[in-house]
Amino acid sequence: QFAQSLRGKRVVVTSGPTHEPIDPVRYIANRSSGRQGHAIATAAANAGAEVTLVSGPVTIDDPAGVRTIHIETAQEMLRAVKAALPADIFIAAAAVADWRVTTKNDNKIKKGDTAPVLQLAENPDILATIAGLSDGRPALVVGFAAETQDVTENALKKLAKKKCDVIVANDVGAGTDVMGGLENTVHIVTEAGVETWPKMEKSAVASRLVGLLSDMLERRQ
Ligand code: C5P
């Protein structure tokens, strides 16, 4: 019965990095591969949900059975997520760039005597925006926390600050090989406490997470 535990439910997932343009050929980005987010979209679709995946630029394939929307910047990601609502579950697995470049360059910046200075502005927090919606907030809002120290402590703070129902915290510190890797060790942080799952493949994390979320959703309805 697990296979159809999300039948009739709508799920929106963000995945991958965002690219923030500096000029037409250069951008700011990060090392997210999109593997964990895409695996979650796949697992939710396998559980019978109607899934929209909003993905930044990645090299992996669009998941089968999922409506995938491709965006580049954080601002585009927020717009696409809002357009994909309403949803029962929102899962923010993307590694959104915290800043965008505000010094707009329509042409490629030329090498010159002095190095260019980039001015940055903070990007919208997509997770906090969706979790804070007074109208049409998804029943379950799930965030990720990629930390290199005090993993669960920081995740608990993030849970409260961003008003999420679940934070999936992982240690991405040097040597963990999580960013871009195939495996993940996560801590599931909810109001009820912290549960550490053993190291497993991202696809296994995804199906176990989808199982947990369908249980939570059922208990709330
Ligand atoms: O604050 P921090 O970036 O560590 O939070 C990570 C969580 O917030 C992730 O779930 C990520 O997808 C989400 N996030 C977001 N928009 C941002 C920054 C982070 O949705 N601008």
Side-chain angles (χ1 to χ4, degrees):
Q1 86 295 355
F2 169 71
Q4 290 300 305
S5 62
L6 287 180
R7 185 199 290 273
K9 304 294 181 198
R10 291 172 54 97
V11 176
V12 177
V13 183
T14 67
S15 185
T18 64
H19 283 187
E20 307 297 332
I22 296 169
D23 69 16
V25 298
R26 305 183 178 97
Y27 56 84
I28 296 177
N30 61 65
R31 294 185 193 284
S32 168
S33 66
R35 284 209 175 89
Q36 187 62 80
H38 279 52
I40 291 167
T42 298
N46 288 342
E50 189 188 312
V51 183
T52 302
L53 174 66
V54 180
S55 175
V58 294
T59 57
I60 57 176
D61 291 340
D62 290 355
V66 167
R67 182 169 74 112
T68 303
I69 294 166
H70 297 272
I71 54 79
E72 287 208 354
T73 69
Q75 288 177 313
E76 289 165 4
M77 183 174 274
L78 176 60
R79 267 198 297 276
V81 167
K82 282 182 170 166
L85 297 180
D88 301 284
I89 305 177
F90 173 59
I91 303 166
V96 182
D98 289 313
W99 302 281
R100 66 178 176 277
V101 181
T102 53
T103 33
K104 200 165 178 275
N105 286 289
D106 292 332
N107 296 306
K108 184 180 169 192
I109 304 170
K110 293 272 184 222
K111 253 190 288 188
D113 297 338
T114 54
V117 175
L118 301 179
Q119 212 166 69
L120 303 179
E122 204 167 316
N123 266 329
D125 191 315
I126 298 160
L127 175 60
T129 304
I130 301 305
L133 287 177
S134 52
D135 198 18
R137 181 194 191 273
L140 288 179
V141 176
V142 183
F144 275 70
E147 305 281 352
T148 54
Q149 49 194 353
D150 303 326
V151 177
T152 55
E153 191 184 320
N154 286 327
L156 275 164
K157 282 186 198 150
K158 205 158 286 182
L159 185 77
K161 187 170 163 228
K162 300 205 187 195
K163 300 193 174 80
C164 310
D165 303 281
V166 182
I167 288 278
V168 181
N170 47 17
D171 189 340
V172 295
T176 60
D177 203 27
V178 168
M179 278 290 215
L182 297 176
E183 291 185 319
N184 209 350
T185 308
V186 301
H187 312 272
I188 303 296
V189 181
T190 64
E191 244 183 8
V194 181
E195 193 183 310
T196 300
W197 290 353
K199 182 173 184 173
M200 49 188 152
E201 294 206 338
K202 288 179 177 177
S203 56
V205 171
S207 30
R208 192 160 163 180
L209 180 65
V210 162
L212 172 81
L213 295 174
S214 47
D215 285 351
M216 286 179 75
L217 201 58
E218 200 172 321
R219 265 184 273 127
R220 284 180 189 208
Q221 282 167 347

